[in-house]
Amino acid sequence: MVIGGRIVLALLLVALAVPARGADLTRDQVIAALARATPAAPADFSGKSLEKVDLSGLDLSGAKFAGADLYAAKLEDSNLTGADLTGANLGLAWVIRANFTDADLSGAKVQGLVVASGMQTNPAEAPVFLRTRFVGARVIARFGGFDLRGADFTDAKLGVDMRNQSMGILRADFSGTRLDGAIFTRADLGRAWFRFAKLPGARFTGASLLHADFSGADLTGADLTDADATGADFGQAILTGAVGLDTVKGLDAAVPRR
């Protein structure tokens, strides 16, 4: 498993590799800008390159990063509550224990986030994405066991591109994640993992759930109206079967009869 994980990580590094542009600002310059900021005029780093800059532990709440390049930036223990990250590049960004509550990542590239110090996610290192907006974002990340209650993935692209998976599938992983009331309207969730995720009241209206895995998930009150769940796995055994299927709206139409 460790070897396989390293191969997948290596592939991801290659897939996300971009020509180094170099950062426009240093950590000290970011800190100085934060010190000058006010609630009426928050720090604005829109369009700036902060590639590989160490922003760990900083209070970035309400700051503007629209279109910014945060590739491989370190955001460990940073507070990004309410931050504007629309269209930003967070490929390979380190987000261990970062707080993205109410942040806006609409249209952002959220691929290969570093969410743990090892190959397995750890609750003690979990970032928080409470009510975070990922509208129209491109997301391939491990969210296993994290708090994404109320997160909005409307029109987001989380599906696997099977044309580029020669040595291992890079997928969106929501296994064991808190997704109460999350919105996945029209999202592409092909082959995503929702194993044992908490999804009460989640909305998958019009979503593509092709071959997604919902084994053991709690789908009480979820809405799959107009969704396509062809090949999706809702579990069969008592211990792995999804919970609350009798309360799911639109399930019969979403899963074609064999």
Side-chain angles (χ1 to χ4, degrees):
M1 292 295 293
V2 174
I3 294 176
R6 288 175 178 170
I7 291 175
V8 171
L9 181 58
L11 283 170
L12 188 56
L13 289 170
V14 172
L16 296 178
V18 294
R21 163 185 160 183
D24 294 326
L25 301 170
T26 65
R27 175 184 173 90
D28 287 342
Q29 288 174 317
V30 170
I31 291 174
L34 293 171
R36 295 191 299 269
T38 66
D44 192 344
F45 308 105
S46 298
K48 299 294 185 180
S49 173
L50 293 161
E51 179 183 342
K52 299 180 181 179
V53 175
D54 186 355
L55 303 175
S56 301
L58 297 184
D59 184 359
L60 303 167
S61 56
K64 297 181 179 180
F65 293 92
D69 185 2
L70 290 158
Y71 177 84
K74 289 195 173 183
L75 297 166
E76 295 183 52
D77 296 297
S78 295
N79 180 13
L80 290 126
T81 300
D84 178 2
L85 292 146
T86 54
N89 176 19
L90 283 91
L92 295 181
W94 291 63
V95 297
I96 296 171
R97 292 182 299 275
N99 188 352
F100 289 88
T101 297
D102 293 317
D104 192 348
L105 279 75
S106 296
K109 295 179 181 178
V110 188
Q111 298 173 275
L113 293 180
V114 180
V115 297
S117 55
M119 294 305 299
Q120 302 297 322
T121 55
N122 180 348
E125 297 181 327
V128 176
F129 294 95
L130 189 63
R131 297 183 302 277
T132 304
R133 286 171 55 84
F134 294 92
V135 176
R138 178 62 174 125
V139 183
I140 295 291
R142 294 183 297 160
F143 293 109
F146 300 163
D147 189 349
L148 280 88
R149 288 175 293 167
D152 188 350
F153 289 90
T154 298
D155 293 316
K157 298 175 177 61
L158 302 98
V160 171
D161 182 355
M162 295 305 295
R163 298 169 298 180
N164 189 29
Q165 303 295 331
S166 60
M167 296 180 65
I169 293 179
L170 306 177
R171 70 177 83 237
D173 186 356
F174 293 98
S175 300
T177 302
R178 290 289 305 275
L179 287 158
D180 314 47
I183 304 170
F184 293 96
T185 300
R186 296 183 304 278
D188 177 4
L189 294 156
R191 299 182 186 273
W193 280 351
F194 290 95
R195 299 170 178 176
F196 296 94
K198 304 299 182 184
L199 290 155
R203 284 183 273 168
F204 293 94
T205 50
S208 173
L209 303 169
L210 300 176
H211 301 286
D213 190 344
F214 290 94
S215 300
D218 182 357
L219 287 159
T220 303
D223 189 350
L224 272 68
T225 301
D226 296 326
D228 183 355
T230 301
D233 184 359
F234 293 92
Q236 301 296 327
I238 294 176
L239 296 179
T240 60
V243 176
L245 293 182
D246 58 333
T247 68
V248 176
K249 184 178 180 181
L251 180 62
D252 291 341
V255 182
R257 295 182 180 278
R258 292 182 176 84

